[in-house]
Amino acid sequence: MAEDKKMKELREKLLSGKKNGYDKFDVKEEKSMESYCTDYKAFLDVSKTERECAAELVRLAEKAGFKPFARGMKLKAGDKLYFRNRGKSVYLACIGNKSLSEGTQIAAAHIDSPRLDLKPNPLYEDSELCYFKTHYYGGIRKYQWVTVPMELHGVVALKNGETIPVSIGADEGDPKLVITDLLPHLGTEQNKKPLGEAVLGESLNLLLGSRPLEGEGSDRVKLAVMQLMNEKYGIVEDDLTSAELEAVPAAMACDIGLDRSMIGAYGHDDRVCAYAAFRALLDLKKTPEKTAVCILADKEEIGSEGVTGLQSAAFDTFMEDLCETQGVPVRVCLEKSFCLSADVTAAFDPVFSDVFDKRNAAWLNYGVGLCKYTGARGKSGASDADAETVAYVRGLFDEANVLWQIAELGKVDAGGGGTVAAYMANRNITTLDAGVPVLSMHSPFETVAKLDCYETYKGMTAVFQAKN
């Protein structure tokens, strides 16, 4: 008996005690977790695109006292500010007590998600049916996007400088759009194709209408559809050339499971981490020691390219403008800064266990997933944080009672993926990936655990409140 007790004590002392988060979770936090997740679901329902997401973030930030940042502003500790980059990304900061020469605490996430973009000349009619042609954005499994009710969101920019917002399918009573698929009775040949080839990108066309206008011609259905668009938005077909219209799943965020322990929605990747970082900044109860910076970027799903992605100079310009208010060289600030690259990771799915290393996978309800590296094959495309950085975050999280786990993105050579971490690290910023584990990532309807969402929010809070 004494020997058994000694072995138990030795195991507890020396071995990892990985447990389900609910075995460690403080039940006193249950109400706070549910409240946070309710707010998150509401945020998702009005943030179907990066533009809508940025607009809602700005609305919430202004409500919380954040002010627009302009170059040359005089700032003091405690000031809260934001900058919106071209309507698609948002940078926020809470000025800390310490000088920017001592660095900043950054959480960097992205607010774009996989979707279907309309092509520049999208409208056509075939066999008396009218369609929009699309070009998919980000890494999707094309077969998942057929026969799913879709909404259309975005803007149409006119030559006179006016920008017209478009939303079809989101309001009660609105019609939905859909991409059709082949019936099983005629799918013999399609069934022989590999999964990735059974549905082609060029076949992801949105069905718009079937009722023709009275009269003659081969484009009567197309004309009827364009007439409806003109009546509602005042646009003509040529205006679609300068439009950004995105087809997204017509799904509202909801609880999943009989126990309501999970959330199902479109766009968890990466709005679940973006919202956690954003809320953590808004909810800071006192001025942080180091300036807290929240970066909510665009274009991560296609490599963080473009003027609103994190490879652009927009982030550097924002940081340089901040540093100039204190006469600090931006390079001095960045080299002493820390960034949590807040992006989702793959949750272990026992249905597809063959592509995971079970010992190194993130599990639902085990807390925020720390990823030392992402990438593909031999860590290609990863920033690969050093041991000291991982230890630093472990210390922050443990001190703040944040539930966390270590994670990889599947088995070696099973695939891979990247985040914004490499682009932050390229700027000489100490960086580590961390985020919420997701089931069915990049699908039209992803699933996350409420506990992991809340623990990620707590983790972001710990980063912003860090003193060194």
Side-chain angles (χ1 to χ4, degrees):
M1 186 67 70
E3 187 68 21
D4 290 344
K5 182 180 179 181
K6 182 179 179 181
M7 289 289 287
K8 181 181 178 181
E9 291 174 348
L10 199 59
R11 284 193 184 92
E12 291 176 351
K13 179 181 178 180
L14 300 179
L15 300 183
S16 177
K18 185 177 180 180
K19 292 181 180 180
N20 188 293
Y22 282 104
D23 293 328
K24 302 178 179 180
F25 189 66
D26 187 345
V27 293
K28 295 178 182 178
E29 293 187 275
E30 182 104 24
K31 190 173 181 180
S32 296
M33 179 182 75
E34 288 294 339
S35 176
Y36 171 83
C37 289
T38 296
D39 291 344
Y40 169 57
K41 286 182 288 185
F43 168 75
L44 282 180
D45 287 341
V46 296
S47 305
K48 293 291 186 74
T49 70
E50 74 284 355
R51 282 181 183 267
E52 292 176 347
C53 195
E56 179 65 4
L57 292 166
V58 167
R59 186 189 72 82
L60 293 172
E62 289 182 339
K63 185 178 179 181
F66 281 70
K67 304 296 183 183
F69 176 65
R71 187 171 295 143
M73 285 177 66
K74 292 185 178 180
L75 302 176
K76 63 182 184 302
D79 282 352
K80 300 176 180 180
L81 50 99
Y82 74 86
F83 173 73
R84 178 162 41 177
N85 180 16
R86 295 168 171 87
K88 293 185 177 183
S89 58
V90 183
Y91 310 151
L92 305 102
C94 182
I95 305 302
N97 292 316
K98 293 182 178 181
S99 166
L100 286 165
S101 63
E102 297 189 46
T104 60
Q105 294 293 100
I106 304 170
H110 68 91
I111 55 177
D112 61 316
S113 295
R115 59 180 190 257
L116 304 178
D117 290 340
L118 294 199
K119 288 191 174 187
N121 291 306
L123 190 65
Y124 76 99
E125 180 176 334
D126 189 346
S127 305
E128 299 186 328
L129 295 176
C130 186
Y131 298 90
F132 271 149
K133 291 196 69 65
T134 71
H135 192 135
Y136 64 91
Y137 172 96
I140 68 170
R141 306 191 77 184
K142 294 183 282 290
Y143 76 90
Q144 294 178 335
W145 292 70
V146 298
T147 73
V148 175
M150 304 287 280
E151 300 173 1
L152 196 66
H153 296 249
V155 297
V156 178
L158 304 182
K159 290 185 293 183
N160 64 7
E162 183 182 1
T163 299
I164 300 172
V166 172
S167 176
I168 300 173
D171 295 335
E172 187 176 353
D174 270 8
K176 312 298 183 189
L177 307 179
V178 74
I179 299 166
T180 59
D181 194 15
L182 189 60
L183 63 163
H185 311 73
L186 300 178
T188 302
E189 291 303 314
Q190 185 189 47
N191 291 341
K192 296 176 183 178
K193 295 180 179 180
L195 193 61
E197 299 175 11
V199 175
L200 300 177
E202 286 292 349
S203 71
L204 296 176
N205 301 315
L206 291 164
L207 182 60
L208 302 178
S210 65
R211 182 172 179 171
L213 286 178
E214 292 185 9
E216 300 295 327
S218 60
D219 59 356
R220 293 188 301 154
V221 180
K222 173 181 174 180
L223 188 59
V225 167
M226 199 63 240
Q227 183 182 49
L228 292 171
M229 296 284 287
N230 179 262
E231 290 172 354
K232 186 171 184 178
Y233 299 108
I235 62 174
V236 299
E237 184 178 3
D238 280 345
D239 293 328
L240 297 175
T241 303
S242 52
E244 287 183 356
L245 296 175
E246 304 172 11
V248 298
M252 303 290 279
C254 63
D255 288 351
I256 294 291
L258 298 182
D259 57 3
R260 297 181 176 270
S261 64
M262 297 165 285
I263 301 172
Y266 161 70
H268 284 315
D269 181 9
D270 180 40
R271 292 166 192 150
V272 66
C273 295
Y275 186 75
F278 175 76
R279 269 291 298 271
L281 190 68
L282 260 60
D283 292 350
L284 287 177
K285 292 181 173 57
K286 61 180 182 179
T287 300
E289 287 302 298
K290 288 186 175 183
T291 293
V293 177
C294 179
I295 304 300
L296 305 171
D298 183 27
K299 295 291 186 287
E300 190 277 341
E301 296 296 356
I302 57 171
S304 297
E305 309 283 354
V307 291
T308 52
L310 261 180
Q311 289 205 67
S312 82
F315 168 72
D316 307 85
T317 300
F318 175 73
M319 292 301 296
E320 187 169 357
D321 288 344
L322 279 185
C323 287
E324 283 184 354
T325 66
Q326 297 184 7
V328 174
V330 68
R331 67 181 185 278
V332 173
C333 175
L334 295 185
E335 70 185 10
K336 293 184 179 179
S337 293
F338 168 75
C339 174
L340 199 67
S341 173
D343 208 341
V344 297
T345 188
F348 177 75
D349 189 336
V351 178
F352 305 103
S353 60
D354 57 315
V355 295
F356 292 92
D357 174 2
K358 198 171 183 178
R359 295 179 181 84
N360 289 284
W363 288 29
L364 249 57
N365 294 320
Y366 278 69
V368 55
L370 305 185
C371 298
K372 185 179 186 296
Y373 49 82
T374 54
R377 300 175 303 279
K379 302 184 182 180
S380 176
S383 69
D384 201 357
D386 58 35
E388 292 84 352
T389 301
V390 179
Y392 168 72
V393 175
R394 284 177 59 204
L396 281 182
F397 284 6
D398 285 349
E399 184 177 357
N401 295 315
V402 176
L403 301 181
W404 62 271
Q405 57 186 315
I406 202 72
E408 284 191 334
L409 195 66
K411 280 184 177 178
V412 176
D413 292 335
T419 66
V420 301
Y423 311 120
M424 300 303 282
N426 286 348
R427 293 175 163 98
N428 199 22
I429 300 172
T430 300
T431 305
L432 177 68
D433 275 304
V436 176
V438 178
L439 292 170
S440 308
M441 190 191 298
H442 281 214
S443 75
F445 196 78
E446 303 167 317
T447 300
V448 296
K450 290 181 177 179
L451 183 145
D452 299 331
C453 295
Y454 184 65
E455 293 299 324
T456 299
Y457 159 72
K458 288 169 57 181
M460 302 298 173
T461 302
V463 169
F464 289 146
Q465 291 179 336
K467 297 180 180 180
N468 53 53

